């Protein structure tokens, strides 16, 4: 009975939270989440105003939308309308702040010259740079005038107008002088990503081949290497990869550069460099497999006491306080912290701390909440643990900045949709119960697996959505060709989904091994270019052609 109360108590407290209680909570994204929930209730405009005064991040679109629907404050309602950026609304505005907030450069590109001139005049005094850029959009020929205005204007527009506009207006071969002048600007790194990850920016990609050395990031040099490779400049690709390796801060980024060096050269020295890495990722797993070496630098369990924990791990505030303590603890303080979290109920935090105490050279691959996964197939079990490890390190009360919740970081809209399908009434706070959270994630996984059969693609969909994944696959990615499927894995423009899925794939391989159902990562790579093994979207498209 005590154990049940341990899980349910936070649910009751959060569901009945009052304005007075909100005022006592520490400021931050956790209280912001509670304020957002509070805004969903039947509250008065005065209560909404008082709650909003407590908000930490007032630019959060979820909170602003909820607040605008509750308050009588006309300034806030207008601010929300400005943020939405409806052009018809903005054309009736004279407030420069409102126009600046709502008029993106992508929207500005879709306007006619008179409309841009109207907005440029209104913005001229308070936002002179944006006014100048709108004026530049009206000058013809557009691109030469924009280039002549300098890298500041050029890159601000280039980076913020969307892929279609970049393809339409910017895909031209630039001179060596122009491309190198742009590269001196810190915003050029973002431009490199957009150019290299867009297969329709061919002329701009060839412009990048003219770059002289610049102070760019490891990731930028990695993109330049792939761009050079795609345009048959193999020696230049190798040069960029070495710079990327040397500049990289994170071990995974160093390993990525070494892996691609091996793909280019097939030289054993790069495999050797990879097996010396202490990180577990798709690159080191591949190298160890090629050299017939197993991966052993991880642990799967901790020997802990059996008594009930004194810590309420399903309270986000307690977890946030604990996380801050872990982050600020010196290495010689971590053993003492481990003793504080030494019961089986504390397993996920104990393992989290233990891995840090080992400088993350021995990795945490525990499998908690076994009762939630015992009925799953070995493959589904490996997937759930691979996703959960990446989402939250299995922390039951984790809340992201976008309000993803719990062990599996379930988004509120998805929770409500699944609850409707299951014909359940659900409170979002129930997602801090790891068993309920995993139950809903399993239900979502069933849906994803109807369309996607490969763990990499399932991870894309879990992070970025199934529609996003479908579009990426149907654009011709992961087809047969030189350096595939690796080019498609590395050239996804969505950075978060790209890196997330690679980590989930490595987790999946390790968990399959732990479960006793080992999988060959080389085979997993090879299958990515075979739709019959990976996804229903491409398989259906092929069947229709036949």
């Amino acid at each position: 009975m005590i154990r049940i109360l341990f899980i349910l108590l936070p649910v009751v407290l959060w569901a009945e939270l009052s304005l007075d209680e909100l005022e006592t909570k520490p400021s931050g994204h956790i209280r912001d989440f509670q304020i957002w929930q509070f805004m969903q209730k039947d509250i008065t405009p005065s209560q909404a105003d008082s709650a909003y005064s407590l908000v930490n991040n007032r630019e959060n679109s979820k909170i602003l939308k909820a607040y605008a629907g509750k308050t009588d404050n006309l300034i806030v309602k207008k601010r929300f309308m400005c943020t939405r950026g409806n052009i018809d609304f903005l054309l009736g505005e004279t407030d420069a702040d409102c126009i600046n907030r709502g008029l993106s450069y992508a929207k500005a590109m879709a306007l006619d010259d008179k409309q841009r001139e109207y907005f440029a005049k209104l913005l001229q005094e308070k936002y002179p740079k944006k006014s100048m850029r709108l004026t530049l959009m009206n000058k013809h020929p557009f691109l030469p005038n924009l280039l002549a205005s300098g890298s500041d204007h050029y890159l601000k527009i280039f980076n913020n107008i969307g892929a279609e506009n970049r393809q339409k207006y910017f895909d031209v071969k630039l001179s060596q002088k122009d491309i190198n002048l742009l590269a001196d600007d810190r915003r050029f790194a973002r431009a490199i990503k957009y150019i290299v990850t867009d297969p329709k920016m061919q002329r701009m990609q060839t412009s990048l081949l003219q770059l002289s050395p610049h102070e760019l990031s490891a990731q930028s040099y990695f993109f330049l290497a792939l761009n050079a490779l795609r345009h048959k400049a193999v020696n230049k690709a190798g040069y960029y990869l070495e710079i990327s390796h040397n500049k990289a801060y994170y071990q995974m980024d160093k390993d990525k550069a070494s892996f691609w060096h091996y793909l280019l050269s097939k030289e054993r020295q790069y495999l050797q460099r990879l097996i010396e890495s202490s990180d577990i990722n798709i690159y080191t797993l591949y190298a160890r497999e090629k050299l017939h070496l197993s991966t052993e630098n991880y642990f799967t369990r901790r020997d802990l006491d059996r008594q009930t924990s004194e810590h309420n791990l399903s309270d986000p505030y307690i977890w946030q306080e604990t996380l801050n303590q872990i982050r600020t603890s010196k290495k010689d303080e971590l053993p003492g912290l481990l003793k504080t979290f030494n019961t089986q109920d504390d397993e996920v935090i104990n393992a989290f701390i233990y891995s840090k105490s080992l400088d993350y050279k021995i990795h945490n691959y525990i499998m908690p909440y076994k009762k939630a996964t015992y009925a799953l197939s070995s493959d589904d079990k490996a997937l759930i643990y691979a996703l959960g490890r990446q989402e939250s390190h299995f922390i039951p009360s984790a809340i992201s900045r976008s309000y993803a919740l719990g062990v599996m970081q379930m988004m509120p809209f998805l929770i409500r949709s699944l609850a409707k399908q299951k014909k359940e009434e659900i409170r979002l706070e129930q997602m801090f119960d790891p068993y309920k959270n995993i139950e809903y994630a399993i239900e979502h996984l069933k849906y994803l697996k109807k369309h996607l059969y490969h763990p990499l693609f399932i991870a894309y969909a879990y992070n970025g959505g199934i529609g996003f994944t479908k579009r990426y696959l149907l654009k011709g990615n992961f087809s047969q060709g030189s350096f595939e499927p690796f080019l498609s894995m590395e050239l996804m423009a969505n950075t978060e989904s790209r890196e997330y899925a690679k980590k989930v794939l490595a987790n999946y391989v390790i968990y399959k091994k732990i479960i006793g159902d080992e999988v060959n990562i080389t085979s997993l790579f090879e299958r990515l270019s075979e739709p019959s093994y990976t996804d229903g979207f491409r398989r259906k498209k092929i069947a229709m052609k036949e």
Side-chain angles (χ1 to χ4, degrees):
M1 187 63 183
I2 293 175
R3 179 62 180 160
I4 294 173
L5 286 174
F6 175 72
I7 292 295
L8 294 183
L9 183 59
V11 174
V12 174
L13 288 174
W14 279 51
E16 304 301 325
L17 205 64
S18 69
L19 185 57
D20 288 341
E21 288 168 321
L22 277 173
E23 291 175 349
T24 68
K25 302 296 182 183
S27 179
H29 79 282
I30 295 174
R31 186 170 70 170
D32 282 1
F33 169 68
Q34 288 185 299
I35 292 169
W36 176 68
Q37 284 186 289
F38 183 75
M39 295 284 188
Q40 317 300 314
K41 297 165 67 174
D42 185 15
I43 58 175
T44 66
S46 176
Q47 287 174 315
D49 293 340
S50 297
Y52 190 69
S53 71
L54 303 174
V55 170
N56 180 60
N57 178 16
R58 297 195 176 187
E59 296 303 313
N60 184 294
S61 59
K62 288 187 176 74
I63 291 181
L64 182 59
K65 180 180 180 180
Y67 178 43
K70 297 289 185 180
T71 184
D72 286 336
N73 188 323
L74 296 180
I75 294 174
V76 171
K77 288 180 178 293
K78 179 180 174 181
R79 183 183 172 208
F80 175 64
M81 291 298 293
C82 297
T83 301
R84 292 178 67 181
N86 180 282
I87 292 298
D88 289 335
F89 171 80
L90 292 176
L91 284 169
E93 268 299 317
T94 57
D95 179 15
D97 290 331
C98 180
I99 294 167
N100 181 61
R101 180 181 289 273
L103 184 64
S104 68
Y105 290 107
K107 289 174 184 173
M109 290 293 286
L111 301 177
D112 60 38
D113 286 1
K114 286 185 178 180
Q115 290 170 328
R116 281 192 290 264
E117 184 180 357
Y118 168 77
F119 287 129
K121 286 179 179 177
L122 290 171
L123 292 170
Q124 188 171 12
E125 183 176 346
K126 201 164 186 180
Y127 300 97
K129 283 191 174 182
K130 192 162 193 175
S131 175
M132 173 60 75
R133 289 163 190 154
L134 295 179
T135 301
L136 285 166
M137 289 180 185
N138 280 356
K139 288 193 174 181
H140 304 286
F142 165 59
L143 197 56
N145 279 296
L146 184 59
L147 274 168
S149 73
S151 63
D152 177 59
H153 294 311
Y154 180 97
L155 290 171
K156 186 66 175 181
I157 293 176
F158 182 92
N159 287 340
N160 291 281
I161 59 169
E164 288 187 10
N165 282 322
R166 280 193 290 270
Q167 294 161 9
K168 182 176 180 180
Y169 296 106
F170 285 85
D171 188 32
V172 299
K173 176 72 179 292
L174 297 183
S175 70
Q176 185 175 18
K177 178 183 177 182
D178 283 336
I179 197 70
N180 279 286
L181 284 173
L182 292 175
D184 289 331
D185 192 297
R186 59 182 176 80
R187 287 171 293 191
F188 188 65
R190 187 174 164 197
I192 288 174
K193 172 193 164 182
Y194 289 140
I195 295 166
V196 177
T197 59
D198 187 342
K200 294 184 178 180
M201 296 290 285
Q202 291 281 324
R203 296 181 184 88
M204 280 294 282
Q205 288 171 9
T206 58
S207 300
L208 291 178
L209 298 176
Q210 305 172 94
L211 276 178
S212 56
H214 283 81
E215 284 300 316
L216 301 170
S217 69
Q219 184 60 47
S220 290
Y221 271 110
F222 179 73
F223 278 137
L224 290 174
L226 296 192
N227 183 63
L229 181 63
R230 199 160 50 181
H231 290 272
K232 312 301 181 186
V234 177
N235 290 336
K236 186 166 284 190
Y239 168 71
Y240 286 146
L241 285 172
E242 197 59 32
I243 296 175
S244 179
H245 178 274
N246 293 336
K247 278 181 165 282
Y249 176 79
Y250 293 106
Q251 186 61 48
M252 183 171 174
D253 290 331
K254 290 183 177 293
D255 294 339
K256 178 172 63 178
S258 297
F259 173 83
W260 276 88
H261 254 309
Y262 173 74
L263 292 182
L264 262 64
S265 68
K266 299 302 179 185
E267 293 179 10
R268 186 185 176 94
Q269 62 171 308
Y270 296 111
L271 292 179
Q272 189 63 39
R273 186 192 276 181
L274 281 165
I275 66 171
E276 290 169 0
S277 167
S278 61
D279 198 26
I280 296 177
N281 53 56
I282 60 171
Y283 312 113
T284 58
L285 288 172
Y286 175 86
R288 288 185 167 275
E289 198 169 278
K290 292 289 285 186
L291 297 176
H292 308 289
L293 299 171
S294 60
T295 300
E296 305 291 347
N297 58 323
Y298 61 89
F299 61 91
T300 62
R301 60 187 298 273
R302 298 282 291 143
D303 292 324
L304 302 169
D305 295 340
R306 289 186 176 276
Q307 73 262 27
T308 303
S309 172
E310 297 177 355
H311 309 286
N312 191 345
L313 302 188
S314 50
D315 185 328
Y317 288 108
I318 292 177
W319 163 239
Q320 189 60 51
E321 185 179 342
T322 303
L323 179 59
N324 291 337
Q325 187 179 6
I326 294 168
R327 284 175 172 167
T328 57
S329 293
K330 297 176 182 177
K331 188 171 182 179
D332 61 359
E333 296 172 328
L334 294 175
L337 202 54
L338 280 170
K339 290 178 181 178
T340 304
F341 297 95
N342 65 341
T343 75
Q344 289 186 349
D345 288 337
D346 298 323
E347 179 187 20
V348 294
I349 292 186
N350 183 284
F352 186 88
I353 299 168
Y354 183 61
S355 186
K356 181 181 179 182
S357 74
L358 300 172
D359 296 322
Y360 302 108
K361 292 179 180 178
I362 308 295
H363 300 274
N364 170 12
Y365 281 88
I366 61 171
M367 298 176 67
Y369 317 122
K370 287 185 171 61
K371 289 182 181 179
T373 62
Y374 79 97
L376 297 178
S377 68
S378 62
D379 194 65
D380 283 352
K381 193 174 294 186
L383 268 173
I384 284 290
Y385 281 117
L387 291 165
R389 181 183 189 272
Q390 200 54 44
E391 289 289 351
S392 70
H393 284 286
F394 308 112
I395 303 299
S397 53
I399 302 180
S400 77
R401 301 286 172 180
S402 59
Y403 304 157
L405 305 175
V407 172
M408 303 300 295
Q409 291 289 274
M410 303 291 287
M411 291 296 292
F413 76 89
L414 180 57
I415 294 165
R416 289 171 178 142
S417 175
L418 290 168
K420 186 175 181 180
Q421 291 173 30
K422 292 162 71 67
K423 298 180 180 179
E424 289 184 353
E425 289 188 9
I426 192 82
R427 292 187 300 269
L428 294 181
E429 298 88 345
Q430 289 175 264
M431 288 296 110
F432 301 139
D433 175 347
Y435 296 93
K436 194 68 178 175
N437 193 288
I438 293 171
E439 175 194 326
Y440 269 52
I442 290 169
E443 200 67 30
H444 183 47
L445 189 62
K446 288 179 185 176
Y447 166 70
L448 297 181
K449 290 190 75 174
K450 288 179 181 178
H451 304 282
L452 303 164
Y453 328 133
H454 194 287
L456 184 77
F457 295 167
I458 291 169
Y460 286 153
Y462 195 91
N463 180 264
I466 197 163
F468 155 77
T469 307
K470 177 182 179 180
R471 289 190 296 273
Y472 193 66
L473 293 175
L474 292 181
K475 283 180 180 177
N477 293 297
F478 295 100
S479 301
Q480 300 289 342
S482 298
F483 300 106
E484 286 293 351
F486 307 111
L487 277 175
S488 293
M489 290 173 69
E490 305 289 9
L491 291 178
M492 175 181 280
N494 184 326
T495 302
E496 181 183 333
S497 293
R498 180 184 72 231
E499 299 306 314
Y500 172 90
K502 288 190 289 185
K503 291 172 183 176
V504 168
L505 184 59
N507 292 347
Y508 172 80
V509 171
I510 296 296
Y511 277 117
K512 289 282 275 188
K513 176 182 177 181
I514 294 168
I515 291 167
D517 188 13
E518 290 201 39
V519 66
N520 183 298
I521 197 166
T522 303
S523 296
L524 285 172
F525 287 153
E526 290 171 351
R527 287 190 171 190
L528 287 167
S529 300
E530 301 175 16
S532 60
Y533 290 106
T534 62
D535 64 283
F537 302 123
R538 292 185 298 167
R539 188 172 69 175
K540 182 179 179 181
K541 186 177 180 180
I542 291 169
M544 289 175 66
K545 287 182 178 179
E546 294 174 347

